[in-house]
């Protein structure tokens, strides 16, 4: 699914807070800017991130169950607590009509909280699947097993999903991309640094532990684990790098099944009757086909068995949950497992998200906030149009097409117009894994039904309670959930400087994704189609190269630099979005004035609000993982990198040529 998620929120999905909702509400009644986080010993001209957040960074300890801790922890925690209260009340209802929202949602949560029953079952809920794999006799049966597993929450060997055809965005298509790896990316199998070696060793130990928990002797478990790891290493060898995956044209390949009987047989086993599919990486499937034909059957059975257990480890008894957590520590650094109620609240949101979000929105979201956000979005969109008209590097003909695309952006705010209907899914209170199978099968069947049919552009790809936002290039729409429209991103009673610097920056970011290095290749209708003149495209790339070079110079942790090519799109959206939003803020009454609040000018409040949502502590292990795999830059450089390109920041904080935050005009990035 080609979604460009919010600059700030992707790395905060595991954030929680010890503050209660009441404490949060009391805090937001005063100045929404947390001035106590500032470190007065640091000059804003030297390091704006440390100036704005330094005291908080010094005093704050990341809780043991978290890999990340930031200013939005209060939001994530209060949101999780709200969802939990809803689920607790539903779980107490034992006589709700079968198939109703109350019955399904309450019983799913109850099944997840049935720790005694889950513990007693061990891995018995997986026995039928593991037996099915054990009975495989030939390669044809391997392929049949792969197709079957995709209907019940597993993703072996590759990635399959249904979404708009990038070159015909009104119609859904079956997409097959690379996948099948247990480590975060291909480079983890080959890098020689100590961190990579330690992670590989931990992963091999984890695979071994899983086979041991399934009852295999230690020596046999070790052999089977090694066969799985070696198979994945082979898959990694013909997989593309994260940077290579960012090219939408190179990763779009329409395959006609009529000339490929073997591939058609596999596609039919998925229940797909279409004549074509979209293959993201044909070279990957060429390598995979060779591997499936040549790798020993027993090795492939080991691979399938391990990934069945790995996919469902969180829903099994404690020994499986802990085994997975012990490995995850090497990637994320958390030292303690999250509380069960938090994990199961997230599970329900994943599996029956619209049920839960519907109840959440009814209780916690107001129409007044939706109206104010809509006004902010419109103002930022209008400012973007003005900036496009004023660009000195783009021709008039390309400007007109850019403006058409900008005006065509569909704005989806808070929650969908229509909620998904899950009533056909059978949910019971005493069988968590069976419930997961039911919700997974439901999603798979719905996806298969969509192939070849018109895209439903009213559908949301994340739940309304999720704290996030995204841009969808094939639908040319921006989406802001009810979950994110709360402090510290949005304050109902907050001044414009703070709201534009916070939620406004997110809005500007998502709009700019339509014009970053990937999004710009899609037209106003969401089709992958070149609408740029050759000269303008070259000028864009030259400016984008500046941003690549700028972020390549930043160190994330130790010797791990940011990858400017991997983070190019997000950095363009950061920089462009903040500049556009600032221009929109200057249209407001507060933006036009100079009146100070708590000693701060409107412009200073704008930039400090942006700094406030960037405030975050991240464990070293997580920082390394993010630097290698995540298209977003580390929080410090999201802030410092963006503001150092803005003359308005220099004026607001009196930045001089001798200051560390100063970038020579020749190096400053200005695309949008």
């Amino acid at each position: 699914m080609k979604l460009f998620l919010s600059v700030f929120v992707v790395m905060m999905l595991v954030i929680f807070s010890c503050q209660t909702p009441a404490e949060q509400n009391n805090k937001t009644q005063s100045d929404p800017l947390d001035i106590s986080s500032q470190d007065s010993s640091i000059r804003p001209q030297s390091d704006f991130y440390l100036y704005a957040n330094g005291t908080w960074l010094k005093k704050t300890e990341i809780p043991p169950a978290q890999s990340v801790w930031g200013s939005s922890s209060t939001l994530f925690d209060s949101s999780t607590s709200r969802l939990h209260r809803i689920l607790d009340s539903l779980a107490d209802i034992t006589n709700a009509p079968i198939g109703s929202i109350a019955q399904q949602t309450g019983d799913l949560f109850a099944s997840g909280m049935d720790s005694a029953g889950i513990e007693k079952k061990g891995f018995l809920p997986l026995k039928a699947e593991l037996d099915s794999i054990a009975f495989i006799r030939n390669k044809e049966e391997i392929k049949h097993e792969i197709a079957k597993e995709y209907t019940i929450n597993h993703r072996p060997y590759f990635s399959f999903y249904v979404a708009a055809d990038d070159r015909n965005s009104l119609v859904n298509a079956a997409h097959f991309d690379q996948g099948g790896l247990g480590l975060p990316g291909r480079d983890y199998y080959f890098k020689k640094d100590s961190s990579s070696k330690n992670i590989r060793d931990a992963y091999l130990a984890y695979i071994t532990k899983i086979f041991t928990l399934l009852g295999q002797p230690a020596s046999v478990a070790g052999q089977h684990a090694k066969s799985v790891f070696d198979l994945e290493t082979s898959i990694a060898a013909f997989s593309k790098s994260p940077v290579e995956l960012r090219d939408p044209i190179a990763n779009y390949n329409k395959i006609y099944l009529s000339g490929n009987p073997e591939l058609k047989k596999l596609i039919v086993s998925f229940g797909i009757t279409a004549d074509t599919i979209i293959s993201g990486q044909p070279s990957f499937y060429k390598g995979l086909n060779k591997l499936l034909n040549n790798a020993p059957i027993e090795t492939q059975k080991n691979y399938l068995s391990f990934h069945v257990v790995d996919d469902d480890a969180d829903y099994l008894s404690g020994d499986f949950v802990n085994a997975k957590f012990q490995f995850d520590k090497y990637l994320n650094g958390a030292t303690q497992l999250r509380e069960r109620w938090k994990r199961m609240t997230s599970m329900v949101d994943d599996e029956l998200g619209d049920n839960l979000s519907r109840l959440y929105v009814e209780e916690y979201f107001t129409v007044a906030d939706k109206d104010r956000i809509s006004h902010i979005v419109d103002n930022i969109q209008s400012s973007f149009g003005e900036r496009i008209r004023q660009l000195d590097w783009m021709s008039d003909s390309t400007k007109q097409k850019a403006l058409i695309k900008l005006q065509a952006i569909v704005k989806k705010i808070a929650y969908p117009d229509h909620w998904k209907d899950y009533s056909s899914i059978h949910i019971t209170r005493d069988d968590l894994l069976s419930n997961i199978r039911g919700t997974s099968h439901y999603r798979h069947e719905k996806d298969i039904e969509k192939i070849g049919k018109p895209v439903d552009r009213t559908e949301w790809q994340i739940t309304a309670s999720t704290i996030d936002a995204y841009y969808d290039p094939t639908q040319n729409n921006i989406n802001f959930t009810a979950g994110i429209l709360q402090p510290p991103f949005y304050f109902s009673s907050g001044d414009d400087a703070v709201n534009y610097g916070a939620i406004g920056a997110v809005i500007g970011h998502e709009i700019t994704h339509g014009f970053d290095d990937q999004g710009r290749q899609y037209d106003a209708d969401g089709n992958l189609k070149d609408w740029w003149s050759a000269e303008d495209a070259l000028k864009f790339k030259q400016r984008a190269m500046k941003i690549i070079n700028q972020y390549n110079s930043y160190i994330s942790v130790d010797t791990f630099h940011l990858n400017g090519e991997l983070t190019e799109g997000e950095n363009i959206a950061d920089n462009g979005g903040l500049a556009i939003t600032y221009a929109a803020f200057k249209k407001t009454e507060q933006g036009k004035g100079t009146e100070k609040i708590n000693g701060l000018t409107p412009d200073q409040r704008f930039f400090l609000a942006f700094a406030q949502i960037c405030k975050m502590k991240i464990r070293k292990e997580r920082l390394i993982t993010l630097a290698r795999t995540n298209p977003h830059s580390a929080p410090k450089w999201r802030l410092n990198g963006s503001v150092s390109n803005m003359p308005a920041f220099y004026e607001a904080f009196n930045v001089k040529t001798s200051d560390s935050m100063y970038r020579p005009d020749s190096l400053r990035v200005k695309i949008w």
Side-chain angles (χ1 to χ4, degrees):
M1 189 67 66
K2 297 175 177 65
L3 306 179
F4 301 149
L5 296 182
S6 168
V7 60
F8 307 108
V9 188
V10 167
M11 294 197 302
M12 299 187 209
L13 298 181
V14 293
I15 295 175
F16 298 88
S17 168
C18 58
Q19 284 186 286
T20 67
E23 290 170 329
Q24 180 185 349
N25 289 335
N26 288 336
K27 186 175 182 178
T28 58
Q29 289 172 1
S30 57
D31 191 341
L33 279 181
D34 182 12
I35 307 301
S36 65
S37 292
Q38 294 180 10
D39 186 346
S40 59
S41 69
I42 305 292
R43 298 173 66 247
Q45 303 91 339
S46 299
D47 188 326
F48 188 57
Y49 184 79
L50 290 181
Y51 163 76
N53 304 314
T55 296
W56 180 88
L57 290 166
K58 291 175 183 176
K59 292 181 176 181
T60 300
E61 294 291 334
I62 302 175
Q66 314 307 327
S67 60
V68 180
W69 195 254
S71 63
S72 59
S73 301
T74 52
L75 171 54
F76 205 102
D77 184 61
S78 64
S79 179
T80 304
S81 296
R82 287 171 172 179
L83 293 174
H84 181 223
R85 286 196 294 274
I86 293 172
L87 290 171
D88 253 354
S89 64
L90 295 178
D92 288 340
I93 302 173
T94 57
N95 59 350
I98 299 298
S100 66
I101 291 176
Q103 180 269 317
Q104 289 185 310
T105 315
D107 284 2
L108 179 58
F109 184 66
S111 71
M113 294 302 293
D114 180 22
S115 55
I118 292 170
E119 201 65 30
K120 185 177 180 180
K121 292 174 184 176
F123 70 88
L124 187 62
L126 292 181
K127 190 174 186 306
E129 289 176 50
L130 295 173
D131 286 347
S132 176
I133 295 170
F135 293 149
I136 290 175
R137 296 161 296 178
N138 55 54
K139 291 165 186 174
E140 282 302 311
E141 291 180 357
I142 286 281
K143 294 176 182 178
H144 176 76
E145 180 66 28
I146 291 171
K148 184 180 74 174
E149 289 188 14
Y150 266 86
T151 69
I152 51 172
N153 197 43
H154 303 306
R155 298 290 182 268
Y157 286 116
F158 50 82
S159 171
F160 161 69
Y161 61 95
V162 176
D165 183 331
D166 297 65
R167 294 196 183 275
N168 183 16
S169 63
L170 294 177
V171 178
N172 281 305
H175 293 252
F176 288 83
D177 287 353
Q178 70 181 46
L181 302 178
L183 291 176
R186 69 178 305 278
D187 290 346
Y188 279 82
Y189 293 85
F190 306 114
K191 290 282 189 180
K192 303 297 184 183
D193 59 276
S194 59
S195 174
S196 298
K197 290 178 181 178
N198 290 339
I199 290 171
R200 284 196 294 271
D201 290 343
Y203 184 48
L204 185 59
Y206 168 54
I207 304 173
T208 304
K209 179 66 173 178
I210 291 298
F211 283 125
T212 303
L213 292 173
L214 293 178
Q216 296 180 3
S219 59
V220 175
Q223 293 172 3
H224 287 177
K226 184 66 164 57
S227 72
V228 171
F229 184 84
D230 289 346
L231 183 71
E232 289 189 18
T233 303
S234 298
I235 295 174
F238 49 76
S239 298
K240 286 187 175 183
S241 71
V243 171
E244 291 172 318
L245 292 175
R246 297 195 69 256
D247 184 341
I249 294 177
N251 290 281
Y252 177 92
N253 303 275
K254 182 166 281 190
I255 306 296
Y256 292 86
L257 300 177
S258 57
N260 196 327
E262 282 299 311
L263 179 58
K264 185 169 185 176
K265 187 185 298 184
L266 175 63
I267 299 305
V268 169
S269 69
F270 271 73
I272 299 172
T273 58
D275 298 324
T276 61
I277 62 169
I278 308 300
S279 174
Q281 304 80 32
S283 60
F284 172 85
Y285 282 92
K286 182 178 180 180
L288 182 61
N289 185 58
K290 183 177 180 180
L291 182 144
L292 290 173
N293 286 326
N294 295 330
I297 294 293
E298 288 304 314
T299 295
Q300 297 194 53
K301 289 163 66 172
N302 291 336
Y303 170 87
L304 292 171
S305 295
F306 165 69
H307 280 285
V308 162
V309 180
D310 178 54
D311 290 343
D312 291 328
D314 291 330
Y315 313 127
L316 300 175
S317 55
D319 44 5
F320 289 92
V321 174
N322 290 325
K324 187 166 187 174
F325 173 70
Q326 292 302 318
F327 166 63
D328 286 343
K329 289 196 299 186
Y330 285 85
L331 299 174
N332 300 318
T335 59
Q336 182 176 303
L337 192 64
R338 282 196 297 154
E339 297 96 319
R340 185 171 196 87
W341 70 266
K342 291 183 178 179
R343 290 183 280 126
M344 293 304 109
T345 296
S346 297
M347 178 273 296
V348 176
D349 194 35
D350 289 340
E351 303 302 323
L352 295 177
D354 272 26
N355 276 4
L356 190 53
S357 288
R358 185 173 183 173
L359 300 171
Y360 177 88
V361 167
E362 289 175 358
E363 188 166 352
Y364 295 111
F365 193 76
T366 67
V367 175
D369 285 334
K370 186 173 183 178
D371 291 342
R372 186 177 182 190
I373 292 295
S374 296
H375 176 73
I376 294 175
V377 172
D378 289 343
N379 192 17
I380 293 172
Q381 185 181 31
S382 174
S383 293
F384 200 162
E386 293 172 3
R387 291 177 69 86
I388 289 174
R389 294 183 185 94
Q390 296 167 5
L391 290 176
D392 59 4
W393 59 269
M394 182 181 281
S395 68
D396 288 341
S397 61
T398 304
K399 283 182 182 180
Q400 289 305 310
K401 294 173 184 176
L403 289 168
I404 290 172
K405 177 173 182 177
L406 176 67
Q407 292 305 313
I409 291 177
V410 175
K411 293 158 278 192
K412 293 157 67 174
I413 298 172
Y415 49 85
D417 295 330
H418 307 287
W419 301 100
K420 291 183 175 69
D421 179 9
Y422 303 119
S423 59
S424 62
I425 306 173
H426 177 67
I427 302 292
T428 179
R429 297 177 70 88
D430 60 359
D431 196 337
L432 173 59
L433 201 57
S434 175
N435 291 336
I436 298 293
R437 293 287 176 268
T439 55
S440 300
H441 184 72
Y442 167 88
R443 288 194 298 271
H444 180 79
E445 290 298 304
K446 289 294 183 183
D447 278 348
I448 297 299
E449 290 173 7
K450 292 177 183 178
I451 298 173
K453 295 181 180 177
V455 173
D456 179 4
R457 295 198 169 199
T458 68
E459 184 178 8
W460 286 55
Q461 304 304 327
I462 56 178
T463 66
S465 60
T466 302
I467 303 168
D468 219 332
Y470 68 90
Y471 172 78
D472 187 334
T474 61
Q475 296 188 29
N476 194 27
N477 63 30
I478 49 177
N479 306 258
F480 307 99
T481 66
I484 198 174
L485 301 179
Q486 302 174 74
F489 293 97
Y490 169 71
F491 298 85
S492 295
S493 58
D495 56 301
D496 281 333
V498 172
N499 278 328
Y500 274 83
I503 193 62
V506 177
I507 293 167
H509 174 92
E510 300 307 337
I511 293 176
T512 308
H513 264 316
F515 302 88
D516 69 10
D517 64 306
Q518 292 177 298
R520 75 172 189 85
Q521 299 185 64
Y522 292 80
D523 67 12
D525 296 320
N527 292 307
L528 187 56
K529 181 180 179 181
D530 190 1
W531 50 272
W532 292 65
S533 72
E535 183 178 357
D536 289 337
L538 178 60
K539 289 178 179 178
F540 177 94
K541 292 176 183 177
Q542 289 171 340
R543 281 167 164 72
M545 184 55 66
K546 279 189 175 183
I547 214 164
I548 291 173
N549 293 335
Q550 176 183 350
Y551 285 82
N552 271 336
S553 69
Y554 296 146
I555 295 176
S556 178
V557 60
D558 293 344
T559 59
F560 291 89
H561 278 249
L562 297 181
N563 185 334
E565 290 180 297
L566 176 61
T567 59
E568 177 185 0
E570 297 298 336
N571 295 333
I572 290 173
D574 277 354
N575 283 263
L578 189 64
I580 292 157
T581 301
Y582 175 78
F585 165 62
K586 298 303 285 184
K587 294 180 182 179
T588 67
E589 289 303 311
Q590 185 184 17
K592 295 174 185 176
T594 58
E595 182 179 351
K596 293 183 178 182
I597 299 177
N598 288 338
L600 297 169
T601 68
D603 280 13
Q604 288 173 335
R605 291 178 66 79
F606 174 88
F607 288 112
L608 285 168
F610 182 59
Q612 182 167 278
I613 61 173
C614 292
K615 178 171 64 182
M616 194 183 305
K617 289 193 77 168
I618 306 177
R619 295 188 189 276
K620 177 180 176 179
E621 296 87 346
R622 183 65 173 156
L623 272 172
I624 292 173
T625 300
L626 292 170
R628 287 175 164 174
T629 64
N630 197 284
H632 303 82
S633 296
K636 176 176 180 176
W637 302 119
R638 271 200 182 110
L639 175 62
N640 285 359
S642 297
V643 300
S644 68
N645 287 315
M646 290 186 63
F649 169 75
Y650 289 41
E651 294 176 14
F653 290 96
N654 195 29
V655 178
K656 304 297 185 183
T657 56
S658 58
D659 293 323
S660 300
M661 287 296 300
Y662 182 87
R663 286 176 62 79
D665 189 61
S666 61
L667 296 180
R668 290 181 206 167
V669 177
K670 181 186 176 184
I671 300 177
W672 302 110

